[in-house]
Amino acid sequence: MSSNNNDNGAGMAVAIVCALIGAAAIFLFAILAFVAFVLTILAIFAWNSPVTLGKWTLHPHEARAFVGRGILGAVLVPTFVLFVQVVFTIPVEWQYLNYMLLIGYVLGSIGIEIMMADQEGTSTPPATTYIPPAPQLPAPPKPSPQTSEAEPFRFASWDDEEERG
């Protein structure tokens, strides 16, 4: 009997790559959750008066919008999961509701903030300075080609046909 190990190697490589991608996604989400936690604390301090850290200032309307988007995301994710459960009759483990709320808050606050920053960067055209066109001088008048043999110009009169005849 011979054993064929070639198929297991390719499947194992795909499994390792998928596991690495999943671990990277979990690590990235953990970093975003920590940033959302820190920014939420700053937003609470900036709720009524601006907070300045170096050159960056967090205004009250920005702080309220950040926390509001997070709360909206925390409400919408479980609502969407409930919708999917009812429409597609997929069983959902509601013991993970805390994780759903956390995912919704992070996606609602940080995710929307990242999308808005990306949109601001692409929608504004690069700053250009307007240079008015240089004033153009009128062209010099063309000299009229008059020769000494030509008869001088004179305006026509009503009797012009009679004079020719």
Side-chain angles (χ1 to χ4, degrees):
M1 294 183 119
S2 69
S3 64
N4 190 357
N5 291 333
N6 292 338
D7 293 336
N8 291 339
M12 192 65 154
V14 170
I16 290 173
V17 169
C18 290
L20 288 175
I21 290 173
I26 290 171
F27 182 72
L28 178 66
F29 182 78
I31 290 173
L32 289 178
F34 179 74
V35 170
F37 174 73
V38 170
L39 288 177
T40 300
I41 298 298
L42 285 174
I44 291 171
F45 284 122
W47 197 262
N48 291 322
S49 62
V51 171
T52 302
L53 298 171
K55 294 181 180 181
W56 182 66
T57 302
L58 181 62
H59 296 283
H61 65 89
E62 294 171 334
R64 292 180 186 132
F66 182 82
V67 173
R69 287 190 301 262
I71 292 171
L72 185 65
V75 169
L76 287 178
V77 167
T79 305
F80 178 72
V81 171
L82 179 65
F83 172 76
V84 169
Q85 179 185 13
V86 169
V87 171
F88 297 112
T89 61
I90 297 174
V92 174
E93 297 291 329
W94 288 103
Q95 63 191 7
Y96 298 114
L97 179 64
N98 292 337
Y99 296 112
M100 289 182 223
L101 293 172
L102 177 67
I103 291 169
Y105 187 84
V106 170
L107 290 179
S109 59
I110 298 289
I112 300 294
E113 196 70 34
I114 290 172
M115 286 187 341
M116 287 177 15
D118 185 43
Q119 190 176 27
E120 285 177 6
T122 58
S123 67
T124 57
T128 57
T129 56
Y130 174 72
I131 301 173
Q136 295 190 2
L137 299 174
K142 294 182 181 178
S144 61
Q146 289 186 356
T147 60
S148 59
E149 299 172 8
E151 121 180 11
F153 176 78
R154 61 184 184 102
F155 289 101
S157 66
W158 292 103
D159 304 336
D160 202 19
E161 291 182 8
E162 295 174 4
E163 289 179 9
R164 285 190 201 172

